[in-house]
Amino acid sequence: MCGIVGYMGDRKACPILIKGLHRLEYRGYDSAGVAMVNADGNLNVFKCRGKVDDLEEYLKGKDDSGTIGIAHTRWATHGVPDNVNAHPHYSESENIALIHNGIIENYRVLKDALIQKGFNFKSETDSEVLCNLIEYIRNEEKCELAEAVRLALNKVVGAYAIAVLEKGNNDQIVAARQSSPMCIGLGEDEFFISSDAASIIDYTNEFVYVNDGEIAILRRHEPLKIINLENKDAEFNITNLDLSISQLEKGGYPHFMLKEIFEQPDTLVDCIRGRVSPETAQVILSGVLDNREKFIAAKRIIFVSCGTSWHASLIGEHLIEDLCRIPVEVEYASEFRYRNPIIHSDDVVIAVSQSGETADTLAAIRIAKEAGAFVYGICNVVGSSIARETHSGSYIHVGPEIGVASTKAFTGQVTVMAMLALAIGKERGTIDQDVYEKIAKDLLVLPEKMTEVLRQDSNISDLAKTFTYAHNFMYLGRGYNYAVALEGALKLKEISYIHAEGLPAAEMKHGPIALIDIELPVVVIATSEKTHEKTISNIQEIKARGGRIIAIIREGDTQIKKLADWVIEIPALCDYLMPVIAVIPLQLLAYYVAVYKGRNVDQPRNLAKSVTVE
Ligand code: M6R
């Protein structure tokens, strides 16, 4: 959470920092600030509660000059979102300014020690503690800023991506990373710093990803220098990122979420491209081919993930158990990491993450690697921490997802999982050739089927009006569609703030059926051929109790059409792939309900796109 950005070069820093903050706002948006050193060496910090727009307003008439600066958009962890807790933080003497993404776990001990030394604190943050610790060490040791940062970080326990400026020095930024993302963009005699390369893609496509335990020293007119916490030079590679600016804009849509929903037919084409042959319907996934033996020998597959990625993993469980006959477990990364899990060297752990930066998923990967498992990543963000820390993997290639509610990442993840299951099943000889060909052919038509579903946009928008004032929703699905029910419920609650519960349809009668009445809309995802009759029984149980049903059905399903109050018909595909299109009406329903309720769809309250804290 939190976004950090920095700049040093010949241009005015402030507009670059503000633009970067706007792009990073998905990471947190409760307060924002900038620090710049002007030509006279003054270190100016401007910050306020609210969004980056509020900061821009606040900056009017202030000294925003300087060709060096750092900036921050916050998602509060320590201390309420207000002007004082906003970043950057000054050190006590106001000679140093610091921005921080992460959590300093031992900040209380450090703070007490600094108070003993006479330091005063203005904010409740752990970040101000680190800033003062750097100042204390700089004064005590009479050392350079970079050395003070290094010594301070050796005393710190926790996660951080920081950038530090000092008064009187407009030629240097010191930045460091531990478990929070950070990259350095390289320009012509200029440097950029960001939590996310996409935010600075306007200026450069050459990036260096800073690794955990590394400190980047950016000095004007000098090459980038990276050292580790032991003060040894660290080697680094320059990565070229192929990303277009248009992918980061709304492109005429009112919200990123709606743009991202409508992009899905194209993002699926990108996801499938080069992996499923249109001529032979063969699936080629290099990550599986390169690690054939690992997948053939796998005794168990464990998915680790969070949120929407966890829902996609539940579908991965069905796909792999059905087609590869390998036992699968699906774990919340946050539970897995603290449970002392039993992991064997012949386990394959699959980490699923859109951002590739989710702290719990990263921790789960590290535990699995330590236990000797082979770890495979399914990520979206190229070059992200999870992509780099896994042994191998497959990108979903759906492009930047900016709306906080995940949409195109889910469909990309499930699509990759279907290809993964086909590729592994083929290698293990567990998949029937007809089934293989049917799924592969359906994968090729997925984008056009999705376009057909999206044509129902205005009907779904009308339907959403009916339910804008509902207080609760229930979502039901069986088999593959249980995960779709969970995902539909999550979408609705996170952007509309309406309580919603996703359940396996058959579980309803074990308790939740007590909730059924005319006030409670029940969304039933009823597209599965395998469980069709059973789902009809569940619908009848709800109708018998006065419930109102919105059913997502296969085209031409007259039986459910007669029973449900509203239906959304979607084209037929094999059961394995139905979740990829069945989720579209649920994304649209959540979107329109949230819009009619006047919610901030792209930046819902209390949330951030990338959860880089525990
Ligand atoms: O980047 P990740 O896929 O690892 O993120 C996991 C969750 O934080 C994320 O899916 C979250 O639940 C979304 N807000 C859901 O829309």
Side-chain angles (χ1 to χ4, degrees), residues 257 261 264 405-407 410 453-454 460 463-464 473-477 481-493 495 502 522-526 550-553 568 570 579-594:
M257 182 177 175
I261 291 173
Q264 290 176 100
S406 193
T407 52
F410 177 80
V453 183
L454 287 166
I460 298 170
L463 185 62
F473 265 75
M474 190 183 281
Y475 287 72
L476 301 177
N481 284 332
Y482 164 47
V484 180
L486 289 173
E487 178 59 8
L490 177 62
K491 287 294 86 88
L492 187 76
K493 60 190 149 191
I495 60 168
V522 183
V523 180
V524 184
I525 302 101
I550 304 161
I552 316 295
I553 60 169
I568 300 167
I570 62 172
V580 182
I581 56 171
V583 76
I584 304 292
L586 309 188
Q587 295 172 348
L588 286 169
L589 182 67
Y591 172 78
Y592 284 113
V593 169

Side-chain angles (χ1 to χ4, degrees), residues 242 312 324 344 451 486 578 600:
D242 181 18
C324 314
H344 304 292
T451 305
L486 289 173
M578 283 309 274
N600 186 339

Side-chain angles (χ1 to χ4, degrees), residues 306-309 352-356 358 404-406 490-491 494 611:
C306 306
T308 287
S309 299
V352 186
S353 173
Q354 185 286 129
S355 62
T358 301
V404 164
S406 193
L490 177 62
K491 287 294 86 88
E494 70 181 324
V611 185

Side-chain angles (χ1 to χ4, degrees), residues 114-424:
L114 287 165
I115 290 170
Q116 295 285 316
K117 303 279 178 201
F119 277 82
N120 295 295
F121 289 86
K122 297 182 195 76
S123 78
E124 300 160 74
T125 67
D126 50 342
S127 314
E128 190 188 7
V129 176
L130 178 55
C131 190
N132 275 329
L133 180 64
I134 294 169
E135 172 154 298
Y136 172 72
I137 292 174
R138 181 138 164 57
N139 295 341
E140 283 296 297
E141 303 291 325
K142 303 197 176 11
C143 59
E144 288 268 305
L145 179 68
E147 177 62 358
V149 170
R150 187 184 76 79
L151 294 173
L153 293 179
N154 271 292
K155 297 191 182 307
V156 153
V157 178
Y160 52 79
I162 58 164
V164 189
L165 279 183
E166 64 179 341
K167 189 175 172 176
N169 188 351
N170 55 15
D171 290 332
Q172 177 179 262
I173 306 177
V174 180
R177 168 199 160 128
Q178 177 66 47
S179 303
S180 293
M182 168 178 282
C183 65
I184 311 290
L186 306 176
E188 291 261 320
D189 208 18
E190 58 185 354
F191 293 112
F192 303 84
I193 303 171
S194 183
S195 307
D196 176 355
S199 72
I200 45 177
I201 199 75
D202 306 59
Y203 311 105
T204 181
N205 62 0
E206 289 193 349
F207 295 94
V208 173
Y209 290 96
V210 181
N211 293 312
D212 280 351
E214 289 183 348
I215 301 168
I217 303 165
L218 282 52
R219 291 200 177 112
R220 207 179 281 276
H221 310 310
E222 285 184 25
L224 174 65
K225 182 177 170 70
I226 299 189
I227 58 168
N228 62 22
L229 291 176
E230 287 77 48
N231 208 8
K232 302 249 164 33
D233 283 343
E235 287 182 10
F236 55 84
N237 298 318
I238 298 174
T239 305
N240 275 288
L241 207 61
D242 181 18
L243 200 66
S244 78
I245 294 166
S246 66
Q247 289 178 289
L248 307 171
E249 311 286 346
K250 284 190 199 148
Y253 286 92
H255 298 101
F256 279 110
M257 182 177 175
L258 192 63
K259 177 192 175 219
E260 287 158 8
I261 291 173
F262 272 88
E263 266 175 1
Q264 290 176 100
D266 294 334
T267 57
L268 282 191
V269 170
D270 292 340
C271 177
I272 294 164
R273 182 176 293 125
R275 290 167 164 177
V276 185
S277 158
E279 290 79 33
T280 61
Q282 287 301 301
V283 176
I284 296 160
L285 219 51
S286 58
V288 174
L289 290 180
D290 296 347
N291 301 286
R292 203 173 161 267
E293 281 69 36
K294 298 277 181 202
F295 285 107
I296 289 178
K299 293 277 181 306
R300 180 173 63 154
I301 285 184
I302 306 171
F303 281 95
V304 289
S305 41
C306 306
T308 287
S309 299
W310 187 80
H311 298 156
S313 304
L314 291 176
I315 298 173
E317 175 183 30
H318 278 269
L319 284 162
I320 288 179
E321 289 198 340
D322 274 359
L323 304 174
C324 314
R325 308 307 296 151
I326 306 173
V328 177
E329 286 169 25
V330 182
E331 300 270 3
Y332 284 116
S334 55
E335 291 295 318
F336 179 82
R337 63 182 292 193
Y338 288 115
R339 214 195 48 232
N340 193 11
I342 299 162
I343 308 165
H344 304 292
S345 55
D346 48 14
D347 285 334
V348 172
V349 172
I350 303 184
V352 186
S353 173
Q354 185 286 129
S355 62
E357 301 295 347
T358 301
D360 286 322
T361 310
L362 258 172
I365 289 170
R366 290 171 189 155
I367 290 167
K369 279 169 81 176
E370 253 170 53
F374 173 68
V375 185
Y376 197 84
I378 297 180
C379 282
N380 187 33
V381 178
V382 175
S384 57
S385 301
I386 292 178
R388 287 180 293 129
E389 288 204 24
T390 43
H391 294 118
S392 181
S394 303
Y395 283 116
I396 60 172
H397 291 310
V398 300
E401 190 181 67
I402 295 170
V404 164
S406 193
T407 52
K408 60 180 181 171
F410 177 80
T411 51
Q413 288 164 344
V414 176
T415 304
V416 164
M417 286 171 193
M419 294 188 284
L420 192 68
L422 290 179
I424 300 171

